[in-house]
Amino acid sequence: MSFQHWALQPETLFKQSVVIPVIVVNDLADVVPMAKAIVAGGINVLEVTLRTPLALEAIGLLCQQVPEAIVGAGTVTTAEQLQQCIAAGAKFAISPGFTAELLQAGKAASIPLIPGIASISELMQGIAVGYSHFKFFPAEAAGGVKTLKSIYGPFADIRFCPTGGINPNNVKDYLALPNVDCVGGSWIIPDDAVQNKDWPQITALCLAATALNTNT
């Protein structure tokens, strides 16, 4: 199935996969085989972070060559970057934080923006503009599971994708929370596997991640 002409909504994005892989592109030659290994593992959401100069080109490449994936951009921090990601073909954008300008640009954009928050005050600012789905970052450093539990009380209808310090040892604790639909993580695409082009290892890690059950 191609998502080329599918209007994605935040709630749909959060329900696609329990784990959203955080991809840092250092070599364009690795991008397509890495993405296909991830998709083979049952994950069809790919977050390509804007941490390297190759990111926008990689997003365009993946949109063309891996149409079965929902390709988005991470580490989006300005309205200008948001527009560049849309032009590259991104289906969603995720930010580690936000500015007032970025929040407004996200509401006007043709793709969903998932703003990042680390505090109640930031959350309230985002809600005031009309957002209901947020990245919680940096999750572990910002109090992790305990903080998200506390947020649930007064903001039970808000949904989160925690990212930052998530790993196989704590991922189930996050996914068990009623206000967490998915998590972001890089453990399913370890650096050594990418360097060694060990795509079967990445597929195996993704299969293990997709097997996670929030009710167990």
Side-chain angles (χ1 to χ4, degrees), residues 98-100 102-104 107 115 117 119-134 154-155 157-158:
F98 65 75
T99 62
L102 182 59
L103 287 181
Q104 293 296 339
K107 296 308 291 185
I117 67 106
S119 71
I120 294 289
S121 295
E122 291 169 351
L123 177 61
M124 291 172 63
Q125 290 179 59
I127 292 171
V129 180
Y131 288 87
S132 60
H133 291 71
F134 296 87
F155 301 102
D157 57 338
I158 302 301

Side-chain angles (χ1 to χ4, degrees), residues 68-87:
E68 63 271 32
I70 305 171
V71 182
T75 323
V76 178
T77 59
T78 68
E80 181 183 10
Q81 284 182 335
L82 178 58
Q83 290 306 314
Q84 290 172 343
C85 293
I86 293 171

Side-chain angles (χ1 to χ4, degrees), residues 21-80:
V22 179
I23 300 170
V24 179
V25 180
N26 294 305
D27 187 344
L28 276 178
D30 292 334
V31 171
V32 171
M34 181 199 309
K36 289 186 174 180
I38 293 168
V39 171
I43 294 176
N44 69 336
V45 179
L46 308 175
E47 177 194 339
V48 179
T49 71
L50 301 187
R51 297 180 192 176
T52 70
L54 300 173
L56 291 172
E57 190 175 351
I59 289 170
L61 193 64
L62 290 175
C63 289
Q64 292 172 3
Q65 298 196 24
V66 194
E68 63 271 32
I70 305 171
V71 182
T75 323
V76 178
T77 59
T78 68
E80 181 183 10

